[in-house]
Amino acid sequence: MMTVMAPAVSDIAHTIQLSVAPVFLLAGIGGFINVIAGRLNRVVDRSRLLETLHSGSSGTEHERHVWELRLLDRRIKLASNAIFLCVASALAVCVVVTLLFVAEMAHLKYGTSVSLLFMLAMVLLAAGLVLFLIETRVAVSGIRVREHLLELDRRERRGRFRL
């Protein structure tokens, strides 16, 4: 009969110590996904509002709605892809933590696999961050205050408020 050696408590404690950093990383990724999802929610709400206004508009107002809908569509795609990449990163981190424990319990040598998987998680997270960065730049490029609202032609306010 074959005997299986159970890992020592100190070995399990060491594995738990190794898994703490990836678990904190998971919490950070979760918070980041929450931020992106909140932005995505606002973009979707705005696009739904513009869709209702679109059919009743004409002329320059219609062109502005179409322009903004195209911008919002791009933002939706960027945010959705950023969420996908961050969730994939979180899943890879979960597999890393699981492999740490499996390797310890079964006395397996998964060091290279764990390292490669952690690097993959970081690449996925970095790609998600890049898409988030692009989404924020697209959002900022879409913020335009129409010239007539700025009242740049009014001279009487010129001396009262300086920026």
Side-chain angles (χ1 to χ4, degrees):
M1 185 165 18
M2 191 166 126
T3 60
V4 178
M5 298 265 308
V9 173
S10 62
D11 293 337
I12 296 297
H14 179 69
T15 305
I16 290 171
Q17 288 173 340
L18 290 176
S19 66
V20 167
V23 170
F24 278 118
L25 177 61
L26 278 175
I29 293 171
F32 181 62
I33 290 170
N34 192 31
V35 168
I36 302 171
R39 290 179 66 88
L40 179 60
N41 188 35
R42 289 191 298 278
V43 171
V44 168
D45 288 346
R46 177 68 180 157
S47 67
R48 287 183 179 154
L49 173 67
L50 284 176
E51 286 172 359
T52 61
L53 298 174
H54 179 268
S55 61
S57 65
S58 62
T60 57
E61 181 184 25
H62 182 79
E63 290 172 14
R64 190 171 52 85
H65 289 162
V66 170
W67 175 83
E68 190 174 351
L69 282 167
R70 288 178 182 162
L71 184 90
L72 293 172
D73 183 61
R74 183 163 183 229
R75 289 182 62 196
I76 288 169
K77 289 174 185 170
L78 287 166
S80 296
N81 287 331
I83 289 171
F84 173 81
L85 290 169
C86 290
V87 169
S89 174
L91 288 172
V93 172
C94 289
V95 174
V96 164
V97 172
T98 302
L99 280 177
L100 285 172
F101 281 96
V102 167
E104 181 60 40
M105 297 292 293
H107 303 289
L108 301 172
K109 304 294 181 197
Y110 283 160
T112 302
S113 299
V114 168
S115 298
L116 291 173
L117 199 52
F118 190 76
M119 287 188 284
L120 174 64
M122 292 297 95
V123 168
L124 290 169
L125 180 59
L129 289 168
V130 167
L131 288 182
F132 179 68
L133 177 66
I134 294 168
E135 189 275 331
T136 59
R137 298 311 304 159
V138 169
V140 168
S141 74
I143 299 171
R144 293 185 182 168
V145 178
R146 287 174 269 165
E147 295 247 350
H148 73 277
L149 296 174
L150 296 174
E151 300 179 6
L152 295 175
D153 56 341
R154 296 188 64 177
R155 301 286 181 206
E156 64 268 13
R157 291 189 182 181
R158 189 173 196 189
R160 288 180 33 198
F161 302 104
R162 298 220 183 249
L163 298 177

